[in-house]
Amino acid sequence: MSTSGPESGWAPLRYQAFRRWWLAQLTSNVGSWMQTVAAQWLMISLTSSALLVGAIQATTLPVLLLAVPAGVLGDLFDRKRLILAGQFVMLLAAAVLGLLDLAGDVTPLLLLVLLSAIGVGQGITGPTAQTLQPELVPPAERPQAIALGSVNQNLARAVGPAVGGLLLAVTSAAVVFFVNALSFVAVLGVVALVAVPARATALPREHVLSATRAGGRFVRSSPALIAIMIRAAAFAFFAGAVWALLPLVARRTLGLGSGGYGLLLACVGIGAMVGATFSPAIRRALSPRALIATCTVAIAAAALVLAVSHVAVLDGAVLALAGLGWIIALGTLNASYQSTLPSWVKARGMAYYTIAFQGATGIGALALGAVAQITSLDTGLVVLAAGLLAGAGATAMLPLPRPGEIDVTPAEAMPLPATPEGSVGPVLVTVTYDLAPGSEADFLARATRLRNFRRRTGAIEWRLYRDEAVPGRYLETFLVGSWEEHERQHARATQHDAELLEDLDRLLVPGTQRTAQHYLAATRQRV
């Protein structure tokens, strides 16, 4: 793999901190894929239920419960300690699983519980780790660094299953589980060594509860983020089920053993490597929407071939195509989402994306596993392909910004009065706009963006009023939880928000400007 220049998909590996982190993650991901092969094969030996086999893919569902609190902690506290804690949880769960299998005490329920415990560790570290890794390279290369985070998982898919299948064939599932436990040690060592970029702020640290609410408000008031999450969920629900049903294809359709199954997954990883290498050129040639549509068609076609083919070589070829589509789609969605998040809310915002993507993947695996159980494996794959295409059609018109299209770099802080003496409770802010004749329609067309801007940055209520006594005068009001939160609101504005305010200023009567007033909550002592 070439890392000689910015045109290479592997260029971020030139930076030592990123390279160390990426290689440690690769080691851990290889161990995780080795474990996945062993767990799926162990489950097939314990039960013939397609639903329970599909449930292995759903053991990442603890992420749904932990992602938001973990994202809040990742934005507020020491990210290094948080990641170390999550990695230790995964190490412990993998080691216990190995011990139980060595003793012959594993049941389908115990297997799912311990795999879910590993999902707990992923939930603790996921949002923070995803946002930290791109910070180890210059801003211009962050989209590709984000894409390489997805490549990491799929490159591991090329190595882990094959090694896991071979190790499983000559030893036992217990040995594979122990090897996975050791792989987490690599991440622990690198996290301890790599300097985590500091996040400086002049304001006091947010309280956990208010930070949680602020993160939720930001995502709810960001139409672009919501659109990307809907796209990601529609894609992951069906596309992720391909990997959940693949062990059944290997065993029932093709009659392969664990080694053959590992080789099928290796084909997926090879496709991912090709996608990673050429993804910068592909992204330049196609718009994000066209990329997602193309990747969807590729994976749907692969699922249809798996449904009708009984030739391992052909299945391996279409799985390589599916791996290429999977990696490019994941990189496109993830880079678009992350690049739309300001630094102050990155981990919290990524938590919601993780919930949408991982939740859709897990639920989709269960649903398509149930379809295959009730009908047949071939029917399940056909339903998967049809659902994937239908989901792509239903979400085709949703926005999907290119990385950097929305400028979320911090804007220069707007002027703010000195902290009032004895300021407690909520703050009401009013802003008066005197519009030039003929500009009211343009102003009202931007009202939704204005509301979203205020709510993203901290407003808990927002209203816009027209002054009937003064033609062209509008009054904007919004409520913020405290004066300290209002200070944060000013610090949270981005260049994208500043451009909106500049557009509004151009609609004012020449020679006038926006005027803001601040009203503090009246308390008994001040009455």
Side-chain angles (χ1 to χ4, degrees):
M1 63 183 71
S2 171
T3 61
S4 59
E7 299 302 316
S8 168
W10 305 92
L13 293 176
R14 293 175 299 169
Y15 303 96
Q16 185 183 68
F18 179 86
R19 184 170 63 250
R20 285 177 175 175
W21 181 275
W22 193 86
L23 290 174
Q25 285 292 112
L26 178 63
T27 301
S28 178
N29 287 335
V30 167
S32 296
W33 274 107
M34 291 171 63
Q35 174 183 268
T36 297
V37 172
Q40 289 176 323
W41 214 253
L42 179 59
M43 182 65 85
I44 289 176
S45 69
L46 295 172
T47 177
S48 60
S49 170
L51 180 61
L52 288 176
V53 174
I56 289 179
Q57 190 84 4
T59 54
T60 58
L61 291 180
V63 171
L64 298 177
L65 299 176
L66 295 174
V68 170
V72 172
L73 296 177
D75 278 332
L76 300 186
F77 298 101
D78 189 326
R79 292 183 285 178
K80 178 177 286 192
R81 291 184 180 181
L82 187 66
I83 293 172
L84 289 173
Q87 294 294 320
F88 183 76
V89 169
M90 290 187 278
L91 187 158
L92 186 62
V96 170
L97 184 55
L99 289 172
L100 287 174
D101 187 58
L102 195 62
D105 294 331
V106 176
T107 65
L109 179 60
L110 271 176
L111 179 58
L112 293 175
V113 167
L114 287 168
L115 292 176
S116 297
I118 294 175
V120 168
Q122 292 172 339
I124 293 172
T125 63
T128 302
Q130 285 189 71
T131 59
L132 172 61
Q133 186 166 285
E135 293 182 20
L136 302 177
V137 302
E141 297 193 40
R142 285 178 184 170
Q144 189 53 33
I146 293 169
L148 280 180
S150 300
V151 171
N152 196 305
Q153 179 68 250
N154 287 276
L155 180 57
R157 194 191 299 269
V159 178
V163 175
L166 178 62
L167 188 61
L168 181 64
V170 300
T171 59
S172 66
V175 173
V176 179
F177 297 145
F178 286 134
V179 170
N180 182 46
L182 289 175
S183 73
F184 293 117
V185 176
V187 182
L188 290 169
V190 168
V191 173
L193 290 174
V194 170
V196 174
R199 295 168 299 183
T201 177
L203 296 171
R205 186 167 60 197
E206 296 176 79
H207 296 291
V208 170
L209 186 57
S210 63
T212 304
R213 290 196 293 261
R217 274 198 306 270
F218 184 92
V219 173
R220 288 197 306 272
S221 303
S222 302
L225 295 182
I226 293 173
I228 296 169
M229 285 193 292
I230 293 173
R231 278 181 172 275
F235 175 80
F237 185 93
F238 295 101
V242 173
W243 323 130
L245 297 179
L246 192 55
L248 298 174
V249 172
R251 184 158 188 168
R252 295 184 184 178
T253 305
L254 300 176
L256 300 176
S258 58
Y261 169 55
L263 290 175
L264 287 181
L265 284 177
C267 292
V268 178
I270 291 170
M273 290 177 65
V274 173
T277 302
F278 297 104
S279 60
I282 295 171
R283 285 201 301 270
R284 285 193 300 269
L286 296 174
S287 69
R289 287 184 178 181
L291 271 177
I292 296 300
T294 303
C295 294
T296 298
V297 170
I299 297 174
L304 290 174
V305 171
L306 293 176
V308 299
S309 169
H310 291 76
V311 180
V313 174
L314 177 59
D315 287 358
V318 298
L319 284 170
L321 178 66
L324 188 150
W326 175 260
I327 194 61
I328 292 178
L330 262 62
T332 301
L333 292 166
N334 200 316
S336 179
Y337 190 91
Q338 279 207 48
S339 67
T340 311
L341 288 169
S343 59
W344 70 269
V345 74
K346 246 187 174 25
R348 278 169 281 183
M350 280 307 299
Y352 288 94
Y353 180 86
T354 301
I355 289 173
F357 192 88
Q358 296 282 11
T361 301
I363 295 170
L366 282 173
L368 272 299
V371 171
Q373 174 78 15
I374 296 170
T375 58
S376 68
L377 176 58
D378 293 345
T379 301
L381 289 167
V382 171
V383 170
L384 185 158
L388 194 55
L389 295 174
T395 60
M397 300 310 296
L398 292 176
L400 185 61
R402 288 184 182 273
E405 182 177 327
I406 298 176
D407 190 351
V408 296
T409 55
E412 184 177 349
M414 293 177 284
L416 186 66
T419 304
E421 183 181 349
S423 56
V424 294
V427 178
L428 177 66
V429 183
T430 67
V431 184
T432 303
Y433 302 84
D434 285 315
L435 302 178
S439 62
E440 289 188 45
D442 289 338
F443 178 81
L444 293 175
R446 292 169 171 81
T448 299
R449 278 189 62 191
L450 181 61
R451 179 197 63 198
N452 288 337
F453 159 47
R454 303 299 191 191
R455 291 190 64 84
R456 277 197 308 270
T457 53
I460 54 180
E461 291 182 10
W462 183 91
R463 293 289 187 277
L464 184 64
Y465 300 93
R466 184 178 65 234
D467 190 335
E468 287 297 312
V470 182
R473 175 169 291 177
Y474 282 79
L475 184 70
E476 176 196 11
T477 70
F478 56 92
L479 190 67
V480 187
S482 66
W483 187 264
E484 182 180 298
E485 186 66 8
H486 188 43
E487 291 179 311
R488 296 186 193 282
Q489 187 177 36
H490 278 234
R492 290 167 178 166
T494 66
Q495 292 294 341
H496 181 69
D497 302 323
E499 290 168 6
L500 169 63
L501 295 178
E502 289 172 2
D503 288 343
L504 295 178
D505 287 342
R506 283 190 282 269
L507 301 176
L508 301 178
V509 173
T512 66
Q513 60 184 3
R514 290 175 281 122
T515 57
Q517 297 289 333
H518 300 80
Y519 299 88
L520 304 181
T523 64
R524 183 174 302 175
Q525 290 78 7
R526 299 186 61 178
V527 171

